[in-house]
Amino acid sequence: MKYVFYLLALLPFFLSAQEDKKYLEGAVPVEEGKVVFSRVFDAPSMNRQEVYETALQWANGRFDKTESEAESARVVFQNPSEGEIAAIGKEYIVFSSTFLSLDRALMSYQVLIYCEDNACQIKLTNIRYEYNVAYQREPEKYIAEEWITDKYALRKGKLNRITGKFRRGTVDFADSLFASAAQAFGEQPAPAKRVQTVTPDTVPATKLLPAMKGPEGFTRMEAGNIPTTLQRLLPASALVIKMADNNISEKGAEWKGFGNLLGKQIASVAVPAEGNFGKYVKTGEVYTLQFASDGAVWMIIECSKQGETAEGDKLTVIGEVLNVWVK
């Protein structure tokens, strides 16, 4: 009888060890230094357009989220001709919840979707965390690459106490996300199969209007090499948007920042939904973001519109950066 009690006493340990296996070595995949959770879903009876429509319907439902002031999720990019969709979100992952306490972190992420004949690949990446701690006003901020990878979240084959809970919550979030997509496609994910990621080498470039000639007195600069000191000046500068080939302009714009989406350098701005730019500028058209200080333009960013998303009475417009000029 004493052996029965001994085994019962060890049962929680065995169950815990078994449960932890899915979170241990290799549970957080890394591609070229970035944490990327990826799944491929088979759709044997669908062509690329049908796969795209199914994926878009799922994405619009899954990422139509405004649970609170902090949480939000939305589709920000659609390209039916190339079968590409992108979404961004901020959602809480909960570590523990009791009547007296709630332990959670706000996780931001990006979801990239690539559609092909008979298959759809979905990637979860660009993961960041904000975690409130009692001893300071501002939340702690972490990036997945330096927080939940094997190097940082595992010690001697076991989960670390702090980083381990972030790793567990993120893996569960990814599993839930992919399970939702699998249901939309009516099948289970097939991790072994790969869909070729869209790159400039494999897909013809989007047809754009001719790029504007560089303005006199300005120096061209690579978007990825703009010094932080200059980037910090952009939100405080007066911003005017002008079209490359007509007289449409927009003064009521707000700078949202640079980013990277589906391998492209992007610039985002918020504009009035009923303004000239929001109503008349179409996907693929070229425009410039002109930043001025004391009435003088000091930076010009030339973009091609890639997509937009509505936020109340405003639109967030995403443009691929074509050129950057600085005076």
Side-chain angles (χ1 to χ4, degrees):
M1 180 65 71
K2 67 179 181 180
Y3 295 109
V4 174
F5 286 115
Y6 178 71
L7 290 173
L8 289 175
L10 289 177
L11 184 59
F13 171 79
F14 289 129
L15 291 176
S16 176
Q18 184 178 14
E19 181 185 7
D20 281 346
K21 284 183 179 179
K22 65 177 286 189
Y23 307 107
L24 298 182
E25 186 175 358
V28 176
V30 177
E31 295 181 7
E32 298 181 352
K34 296 283 292 182
V35 170
V36 181
F37 293 90
S38 180
R39 294 290 188 276
V40 175
F41 302 89
D42 288 324
S45 62
M46 297 183 186
N47 59 32
R48 185 170 72 174
Q49 182 61 32
E50 292 169 329
V51 171
Y52 176 86
E53 291 172 356
T54 300
L56 182 60
Q57 183 178 8
W58 167 76
N60 281 331
R62 173 59 182 81
F63 302 109
D64 181 15
K65 186 181 184 70
T66 308
E67 297 293 336
S68 66
E69 186 175 344
E71 289 189 288
S72 64
R74 63 187 186 277
V75 173
V76 296
F77 179 82
Q78 303 174 36
N79 187 349
S81 63
E82 304 298 346
E84 301 172 340
I85 304 167
I88 59 174
K90 287 187 176 182
E91 300 183 40
Y92 282 110
I93 51 174
V94 178
F95 307 129
S96 65
S97 178
T98 67
F99 179 73
L100 298 175
S101 66
L102 175 62
D103 187 17
R104 65 182 183 179
L106 186 63
M107 184 178 78
S108 61
Y109 59 85
Q110 186 180 93
V111 172
L112 308 177
I113 304 173
Y114 305 93
C115 302
E116 294 289 346
D117 290 338
N118 312 127
C120 175
Q121 183 182 36
I122 300 178
K123 292 186 174 185
L124 170 66
T125 188
N126 287 344
I127 299 170
R128 304 288 186 270
Y129 309 96
E130 294 184 16
Y131 185 53
N132 289 310
V133 291
Y135 53 82
Q136 61 187 38
R137 289 186 177 182
E138 295 297 319
E140 295 277 359
K141 295 183 179 181
Y142 317 111
I143 63 173
E145 289 75 16
E146 297 177 1
W147 199 243
I148 66 166
T149 55
D150 289 0
K151 178 180 177 180
Y152 295 96
L154 298 181
R155 183 179 181 185
K156 296 181 179 180
K158 296 181 180 180
L159 291 174
N160 287 333
R161 187 174 66 87
I162 299 298
T163 55
K165 66 183 181 181
F166 283 81
R167 181 181 173 104
R168 184 190 299 267
T170 306
V171 170
D172 287 345
F173 179 89
D175 285 348
S176 175
L177 182 74
F178 294 138
S180 172
Q183 186 175 17
F185 282 98
E187 58 102 22
Q188 294 301 311
K193 184 178 178 181
R194 301 286 292 180
V195 173
Q196 185 180 21
T197 301
V198 178
T199 68
D201 295 327
T202 59
V203 177
T206 303
K207 185 177 180 180
L208 305 173
L209 295 177
M212 294 172 58
K213 183 179 179 181
E216 186 176 352
F218 284 77
T219 301
R220 188 177 183 277
M221 179 178 292
E222 293 293 334
N225 296 329
I226 298 175
T228 304
T229 51
L230 292 184
Q231 293 192 40
R232 288 174 179 168
L233 297 175
L234 294 176
S237 298
L239 170 59
V240 175
I241 305 176
K242 291 188 176 182
M243 288 294 298
D245 62 343
N246 57 39
N247 294 322
I248 293 178
S249 63
E250 181 65 66
K251 294 184 179 179
E254 176 188 355
W255 172 246
K256 303 290 283 187
F258 288 110
N260 190 283
L261 189 65
L262 294 166
K264 299 176 181 179
Q265 189 76 25
I266 61 168
S268 299
V269 292
V271 299
E274 295 302 315
N276 288 332
F277 185 76
K279 290 171 65 175
Y280 298 117
V281 178
K282 306 301 181 184
T283 298
E285 292 189 292
V286 176
Y287 57 92
T288 59
L289 309 176
Q290 302 189 11
F291 297 87
S293 179
D294 297 327
V297 176
W298 65 274
M299 178 179 283
I300 299 175
I301 304 173
E302 184 184 32
C303 301
S304 166
K305 183 179 177 182
Q306 299 296 299
E308 65 184 40
T309 180
E311 297 180 82
D313 60 350
K314 291 202 170 184
L315 294 176
T316 296
V317 178
I318 298 172
E320 180 184 1
V321 177
L322 304 178
N323 291 292
V324 177
W325 295 289
V326 179
K327 179 174 284 188

